[in-house]
Amino acid sequence: MGRAPKVDHVRDAFIGEVDAAIALVAAIQALPSRVRPSNKPGLHPKYSGQVVGLAFMGLVASWEEFIERTLVRYLAGAQTKSGYLPKPKVGTADDISHAYELLSLDPDYNPSRDYLRVTNTRWVTRTADFYFVTHPYGCLTNQSDLLKHASSIRNRVAHDSDKCKAAFKATAIAFLQPPNDHLSQGYGPGALLTAKVQRHFGQQAIQTQKSHFNAYADPYRGLARKIVP
């Protein structure tokens, strides 16, 4: 067995992705809005919303990659610079490739072709429960609703299916609670992500009038630091 893999850089890379996504959205929103063609610089609100949606889709993908990369490293015996490491029930994997095989229950697992079910918070926590006596993924449970809503928003950006539309509508209604559960026609991810927080993210986010996009940054960063302390 070789040297155990490192894991702190995975947390730092993810937090860097969060910061980059926030900066991108801020830069887009700083551009003047132009609904009609003009010789003056500006961006149509439709395109601005699309960029915000794509930035959030990338953010959620980075989160899922973070969960996967930490889980396989912990199973392969990774320890944080602060000295933390989950306590395995039996032993550790030989290396990261072996960890993928154990987590997927597939001896022929190929990371470039196959995938772990890291979009499912329950799968992550139950899998960690199976392999570890103690582990940091229990922190996901209290944020499972927000993480599920984030997936619904991401899926609506990526797909136009009736299923994705219905899940996104349920998320938007949960966040906004509009009268009679009615959303304006064509209401999409960009509009929701730039709308001000009204509930679910805590009083500080509400009082500082954070957008849903910016409000998501705090739990993402917080969870990342709990998973890799």
Side-chain angles (χ1 to χ4, degrees), residues 17-208:
E17 291 293 334
V18 175
D19 294 339
I22 294 295
L24 172 60
V25 170
I28 289 297
Q29 293 183 318
L31 295 174
S33 179
R34 296 282 182 244
V35 176
R36 296 180 179 179
S38 171
N39 58 1
K40 296 181 180 180
L43 188 65
H44 195 286
K46 174 183 176 181
Y47 302 134
S48 177
Q50 289 176 342
V51 173
V52 172
L54 290 171
F56 191 77
M57 183 171 67
L59 181 57
V60 176
S62 296
W63 165 253
E64 292 168 356
E65 182 182 21
F66 165 80
I67 293 296
E68 178 176 315
R69 294 179 70 195
T70 57
L71 191 56
V72 297
R73 280 163 175 75
Y74 278 141
L75 190 56
Q79 178 175 321
T80 68
K81 291 180 181 178
S82 66
Y84 173 79
L85 72 163
K87 183 179 179 181
K89 286 186 175 179
V90 179
T92 58
D94 295 339
D95 51 30
I96 290 177
S97 294
H98 186 211
Y100 270 112
E101 293 175 10
L102 293 174
L103 290 168
S104 65
L105 301 178
D106 180 2
D108 298 317
Y109 184 89
N110 184 343
S112 66
R113 179 192 65 217
D114 305 314
Y115 61 91
L116 300 179
R117 296 173 58 192
V118 293
T119 59
N120 186 321
T121 298
R122 187 171 184 271
W123 180 89
V124 173
T125 55
R126 292 296 296 272
T127 300
D129 287 342
F130 182 82
Y131 285 105
F132 301 104
V133 177
T134 58
H135 62 79
Y137 297 97
C139 65
L140 299 178
T141 302
N142 290 336
Q143 299 288 358
S144 60
D145 286 343
L146 278 184
L147 295 174
K148 184 177 180 181
H149 285 312
S151 292
S152 295
I153 298 170
R154 184 276 305 274
N155 290 343
R156 181 64 188 94
V157 175
H159 305 289
D160 198 36
S161 68
D162 290 341
K163 180 180 179 180
C164 290
K165 289 178 179 178
F168 170 74
K169 181 179 179 180
T171 287
I173 289 172
F175 282 168
L176 304 174
Q177 289 191 347
N180 300 318
D181 291 344
H182 178 73
L183 299 172
S184 59
Q185 185 175 4
Y187 194 87
L192 177 61
L193 290 166
T194 54
K196 304 301 181 184
V197 167
Q198 299 180 27
R199 52 186 57 79
H200 299 311
F201 287 90
Q203 284 301 312
Q204 183 178 10
I206 296 172
Q207 291 171 0
T208 55

